[in-house]
Amino acid sequence: MDPLTQGALGAAFPQAMAQRRQVVSAGLLGFLSGMAPDLDVLIRSSEDPLLFLEYHRQFTHSLFFVPVGGLICALLLHGLIGRRGGLLPWQTYLFCVLGYATHGLLDACTTYGTLLLWPFSDQRFAWNTISIIDPLFTLPVLALVVWAGLRRRPALARAALVWALVYQGLGVWQREQAELHGWALARDRGHEPLRLEAKPSFANILVWKIVYETDTHFHVDAVRTWPSVVDYPGGSIPRLDVARDFPWLQGASQQRLDIERFRWFSNGYVALDPAVPGRIIDVRYSMLPNEINSLWSIQLRPQAGPDDHVSYAMHRSGGREQAGVLWRMLRGERVPGSTPSRSASGVEYGVGGD
């Protein structure tokens, strides 16, 4: 999630547990501690462009690191905030731990993947219930946290936590509806997916990206799930086959190893970009949910040496135009290729906005 959301939820948890006189200090400690795990973005290498992918949302986000992360925050913040707020060292530590603990769990609600059980597991948890930025989630939490601090009322922070849980519950329900629709869509095409995922599109939980995998291809579509169901068909792309797509690549080369690192990060949703030779994309992410137009990629070079890394690039263009299209999807309006759809039970729905 974005830093503001992480800080707001990080503030709400300790505020909810604090006494009235402690609400301001608890909120400040929780706000800063709630953002602290993302300092792992500083772990980078000029020689290895994929290093940050391995360490972002890794040990700093692990549930087992929470007591340590909270202690580091408390040691840094007690003199600045805790002592001035009349808190004992153990109280500062408690509020920092509570704020720090919210970070990894909230990140796991997004689609990026978070190593909650590191170092005992390299599984990336991604519950796909919320976008990395969602104002409808963040603004009520932030407003209630600020109000709680101004009024010295822990009950307002508890209300913020209730809203966060309710919104995540709505995300779970919407995700399940999108997945059911995706399975029905694949079945109508005569496909038997090996796996299927539904992910919220940018800044909302109404329009969902559906990605499913068959023996040979990835298929991408989008659906507006509520209040009426609208299909936004996408396309398909062959799964990456290293031997087929890179016959010149040596098996022991660093580029070959980097492909596997990128495959792990992308949870196996990797394909060769048909428009750019040597570019491998992460099929899961795009600005528009029904597109195969990745936000990031790695680039291989035939002339690279055996110890040379791939290059990494981010791709974000056409933002204003794509935002307009996404807004039309949110309204349930037709965009090129959209169709009325049927629910998993076969009940036909109309297209809203017409």
Side-chain angles (χ1 to χ4, degrees):
M1 295 294 292
D2 65 280
L4 181 61
T5 306
Q6 293 285 10
L9 190 64
F13 199 10
Q15 277 187 332
M17 305 298 173
Q19 299 175 9
R20 290 186 63 122
R21 61 181 178 81
Q22 300 171 334
V23 169
V24 173
S25 298
L28 291 173
L29 291 169
F31 187 88
L32 294 174
S33 298
M35 294 189 295
D38 274 345
L39 290 174
D40 61 8
V41 298
L42 300 177
I43 303 175
R44 293 175 176 268
S45 169
S46 59
E47 298 180 356
D48 181 1
L50 299 187
L51 185 67
F52 82 99
L53 292 181
E54 294 184 348
Y55 281 97
H56 183 42
R57 297 198 181 186
Q58 198 222 41
F59 73 94
T60 62
H61 290 60
S62 171
L63 296 178
F64 299 102
F65 191 77
V66 168
V68 178
L71 177 61
I72 295 172
C73 291
L75 292 173
L76 295 174
L77 297 175
H78 181 66
L80 295 173
I81 298 173
R83 185 184 298 119
R84 295 182 180 183
L87 301 180
L88 297 174
W90 71 266
Q91 293 173 315
T92 296
Y93 175 64
L94 175 63
F95 293 145
C96 286
V97 166
L98 293 176
Y100 196 100
T102 63
H103 190 110
L105 292 172
L106 183 56
D107 270 350
C109 293
T110 68
T111 66
Y112 191 86
T114 305
L115 277 68
L116 290 180
L117 302 181
W118 184 93
F120 303 103
S121 172
D122 285 334
Q123 179 181 352
R124 299 180 67 88
F125 289 87
W127 297 323
N128 301 340
T129 58
I130 192 172
S131 171
I132 58 171
I133 297 176
D134 192 330
L136 192 57
F137 176 84
T138 303
L139 294 179
V141 173
L142 181 62
L144 287 166
V145 162
V146 172
W147 195 10
L150 294 175
R151 300 294 298 273
R152 307 296 197 276
R153 292 184 60 185
L156 293 171
R158 297 181 195 125
L161 294 178
V162 170
W163 170 248
L165 291 174
V166 168
Y167 197 85
Q168 293 295 342
L170 289 172
V172 171
W173 179 72
Q174 291 283 65
R175 183 198 65 203
E176 291 178 349
Q177 298 305 305
E179 288 178 352
L180 284 173
H181 184 80
W183 285 106
L185 186 65
R187 190 164 53 247
D188 289 344
R189 294 170 176 168
H191 295 158
E192 296 183 4
L194 302 175
R195 55 177 173 164
L196 180 149
E197 294 185 7
K199 303 175 182 295
S201 59
F202 181 72
N204 75 96
I205 55 172
L206 290 180
V207 177
W208 292 73
K209 180 168 188 168
I210 298 170
V211 183
Y212 68 86
E213 179 182 2
T214 61
D215 290 334
T216 59
H217 284 72
F218 294 113
H219 300 261
V220 173
D221 300 275
V223 59
R224 202 277 293 262
T225 54
W226 185 87
S228 58
V229 177
V230 185
D231 260 333
Y232 297 102
S236 64
I237 189 170
R239 293 164 47 182
L240 180 69
D241 184 320
V242 176
R244 178 197 65 205
D245 298 330
F246 299 98
W248 48 266
L249 186 61
Q250 297 179 6
S253 67
Q254 184 61 55
Q255 289 193 116
R256 183 66 178 85
L257 296 175
D258 285 347
I259 291 177
E260 296 310 311
R261 296 167 71 196
F262 190 68
R263 190 194 300 272
W264 169 80
F265 164 76
S266 305
N267 197 24
Y269 287 97
V270 287
L272 184 66
D273 190 335
V276 181
R279 175 184 288 177
I280 299 174
I281 60 174
D282 183 342
V283 179
R284 300 174 299 167
Y285 296 100
S286 57
M287 289 298 293
L288 288 178
N290 63 337
E291 287 187 342
I292 302 175
N293 190 9
S294 181
L295 295 179
W296 42 71
S297 67
I298 58 173
Q299 182 71 46
L300 277 70
R301 295 173 291 118
Q303 68 275 21
D307 298 324
D308 291 340
H309 285 278
V310 299
S311 58
Y312 174 84
M314 301 189 70
H315 315 284
R316 296 178 183 176
S317 59
R320 180 173 298 180
E321 179 181 350
Q322 291 174 328
V325 175
L326 180 58
W327 176 246
R328 292 176 61 189
M329 290 180 173
L330 287 168
R331 291 165 56 90
E333 298 177 357
R334 288 189 176 95
V335 299
S338 64
T339 61
S341 185
R342 295 178 182 271
S343 70
S345 63
V347 180
E348 186 168 358
Y349 292 85
V351 179
D354 289 344

